Amino acid sequence: MKKVICALGMVFASVSSAWGTTYPLTIENCGYKETFTQAPERVVALGQNTVEILLLLGLQDKIVASAFWPTKVLPQLAEQNKKIKTLTVEIPTLESILAQNPDFVPAQLPLLLGPESKVAKRDDLATVGVNSYMSPGMCATKKDIGDMYGSRQKLWDMTFLYKEIEDFAKIFNVEDRGQTLIADFKKREADLRQTFGKNKKDLSFVFWFSSASPSSDAYVGGKNSASGFIANVLGGHNAITSETEWPTVGWESIIAANPDVIVVSSLDRNRWALDNAQEKIKFLKSDPAVSQLDAVKKGHIVVMDGQAMNPTIRTIYGAEQVGEQLKNLGLDK
């Protein structure tokens, strides 16, 4: 991957923009129209995905602060990210955001910027003259009462992510960089599908994000979520049938589903003990009932970066991470 980043950097440095943004630029995003008179100079990016896209586009000098980091930044972006202030790895306050004097606040999740957000609503930012942006993939969900993440009737795919990259590239007048980045992701997805498309097993997966405690229900990726997309890319399907983006599922239901593979997330946030991948594996192997699952008895437990279970650029990294482990387990044939 380091070679890819270096190659992207060389392209950015040597190729002059074939497009060039004309300002004022109006972007339609999740029901809002945002007009930019110039490229933003002081960005407060809410959500790991938002920050990592901007960093991959070489825009680290435009980001003054960030917040909400379930896991550590991509290793190849660590140096760029060092110069950016982290408000909190959890949920920031509106006061802390506005204290950075931002001119643009893009967000990954409605939890951070949405109608039910405790941080801010887009109208709050518009009132003080600050443009905002919400990840397009999150606007494609059907909002359920009391659940800001909603549900999906259609499987999430990378087109939402490409739209986000294209929009940011236009806003910051770096469209060549955006197209290069999109081409890289498209190739990586195609390579995975070619490798695992020959698999006739149609493996069933459960993607376990976390739980508040061993006695609590499991917080898992829903049928049509990014987790479902990963299962699809790897020639299988999500054993969870709920269209809710992030359903909580009892272990009795997971036992009944009897998945071929259990994917456990690795999180760096340390909110709950079971954020830790090894703690999840310990539970799976020690619980009297859960330990009898075929996937547990056969050792078909794999670890994936937790951020990949969110619909983000990490999703394709997560698919690659799971794919490598499936190969090691002989489940790629």
Side-chain angles (χ1 to χ4, degrees), residues 1 4 8 179-189:
M1 188 58 204
V4 173
L8 288 174
Q179 292 304 313
T180 301
L181 186 58
I182 289 169
D184 174 53
F185 281 128
K186 284 184 175 180
K187 182 180 185 305
R188 289 161 66 182
E189 179 183 344

Side-chain angles (χ1 to χ4, degrees), residues 238-260:
N238 196 337
I240 301 300
T241 58
S242 172
E243 291 184 342
T244 300
E245 183 81 342
W246 286 108
T248 50
V249 179
W251 285 101
E252 297 83 359
S253 297
I254 294 175
I255 290 169
N258 196 26
D260 296 309

Side-chain angles (χ1 to χ4, degrees), residues 78-90:
E79 196 61 35
Q80 296 97 307
N81 193 54
K82 274 183 184 178
K83 302 173 183 177
I84 300 168
K85 180 179 181 179
T86 301
L87 300 179
T88 173
V89 297
E90 290 286 354

Side-chain angles (χ1 to χ4, degrees), residues 7 51 75 101-102 116 152 193 200 205 218 239 249 265 307 313 330:
V51 183
N101 192 29
E116 297 180 49
R152 289 186 194 274
R193 289 191 181 278
K200 303 302 180 185
F205 294 81
V249 179
S265 78
Q307 175 69 344
I313 59 161

Side-chain angles (χ1 to χ4, degrees), residues 16-331:
S16 59
S17 176
W19 291 278
T21 300
T22 300
Y23 299 100
L25 168 73
T26 298
I27 293 284
E28 292 192 20
N29 168 245
C30 296
Y32 281 79
K33 287 186 177 181
E34 302 282 350
T35 298
F36 298 82
T37 57
Q38 62 181 30
E41 294 290 336
R42 295 187 61 82
V43 181
V44 175
L46 305 181
Q48 182 169 351
N49 182 60
T50 305
V51 183
E52 290 184 333
I53 290 176
L54 295 174
L55 292 178
L56 286 170
L57 290 173
L59 298 168
Q60 58 270 15
D61 292 341
K62 306 291 186 180
I63 311 169
V64 295
S66 70
F68 201 76
W69 289 85
T71 59
K72 292 183 176 66
V73 70
L74 283 168
Q76 60 268 33
L77 299 175
E79 196 61 35
Q80 296 97 307
N81 193 54
K82 274 183 184 178
K83 302 173 183 177
I84 300 168
K85 180 179 181 179
T86 301
L87 300 179
T88 173
V89 297
E90 290 286 354
I91 300 170
T93 63
L94 178 57
E95 291 75 17
S96 68
I97 295 168
L98 295 180
Q100 309 308 312
N101 192 29
D103 56 5
F104 184 40
V105 179
Q108 172 185 334
L109 299 167
L111 171 73
L112 302 167
L113 186 66
E116 297 180 49
S117 173
K118 294 180 180 179
V119 180
K121 298 174 178 58
R122 296 185 71 167
D123 289 343
D124 296 334
L125 295 172
T127 299
V128 293
V130 177
N131 282 335
S132 61
Y133 186 92
M134 175 59 66
S135 179
M138 295 311 302
C139 304
T141 59
K142 177 183 177 182
K143 299 300 181 285
D144 300 320
I145 297 174
D147 180 5
M148 69 177 65
Y149 295 110
S151 59
R152 289 186 194 274
Q153 284 68 55
K154 182 180 178 182
L155 184 65
W156 178 88
D157 63 38
M158 296 286 284
T159 57
F160 294 110
L161 192 64
Y162 299 151
K163 172 63 175 169
E164 190 166 3
I165 293 170
E166 286 175 350
D167 283 348
F168 284 152
K170 286 179 183 177
I171 290 167
F172 289 93
N173 193 20
V174 290
E175 290 187 70
D176 281 336
R177 301 182 190 182
Q179 292 304 313
T180 301
L181 186 58
I182 289 169
D184 174 53
F185 281 128
K186 284 184 175 180
K187 182 180 185 305
R188 289 161 66 182
E189 179 183 344
D191 288 346
L192 284 170
R193 289 191 181 278
Q194 182 175 13
T195 299
F196 289 92
K198 304 167 188 173
N199 192 338
K200 303 302 180 185
K201 292 187 176 71
D202 188 23
L203 297 171
S204 61
F205 294 81
V206 164
F207 292 79
W208 181 16
F209 187 78
S210 194
S211 298
S213 70
S215 61
S216 301
D217 289 348
Y219 191 44
V220 299
K223 174 184 177 181
N224 293 322
S225 67
S227 296
F229 170 78
I230 292 173
N232 179 268
V233 168
L234 299 177
H237 66 278
N238 196 337
I240 301 300
T241 58
S242 172
E243 291 184 342
T244 300
E245 183 81 342
W246 286 108
T248 50
V249 179
W251 285 101
E252 297 83 359
S253 297
I254 294 175
I255 290 169
N258 196 26
D260 296 309
V261 180
I262 298 175
V263 182
V264 301
S265 78
S266 174
L267 296 165
D268 297 316
R269 67 184 189 180
N270 289 325
R271 184 183 300 170
W272 298 325
L274 286 170
D275 284 348
N276 182 279
Q278 294 309 312
E279 287 297 317
K280 291 187 185 73
I281 294 171
K282 180 180 176 181
F283 168 80
L284 292 171
K285 292 183 175 180
S286 62
D287 183 85
V290 178
S291 62
Q292 298 309 301
L293 278 166
D294 288 343
V296 179
K297 290 195 289 186
K298 293 177 180 178
H300 294 171
I301 303 170
V302 302
V303 178
M304 185 178 76
D305 179 86
Q307 175 69 344
M309 292 187 191
N310 286 313
T312 65
I313 59 161
R314 286 296 188 96
T315 300
I316 203 70
Y317 290 85
E320 291 168 340
Q321 191 178 9
V322 172
E324 282 302 311
Q325 292 170 82
L326 293 182
K327 288 179 184 178
N328 293 337
L329 291 169
L331 294 175

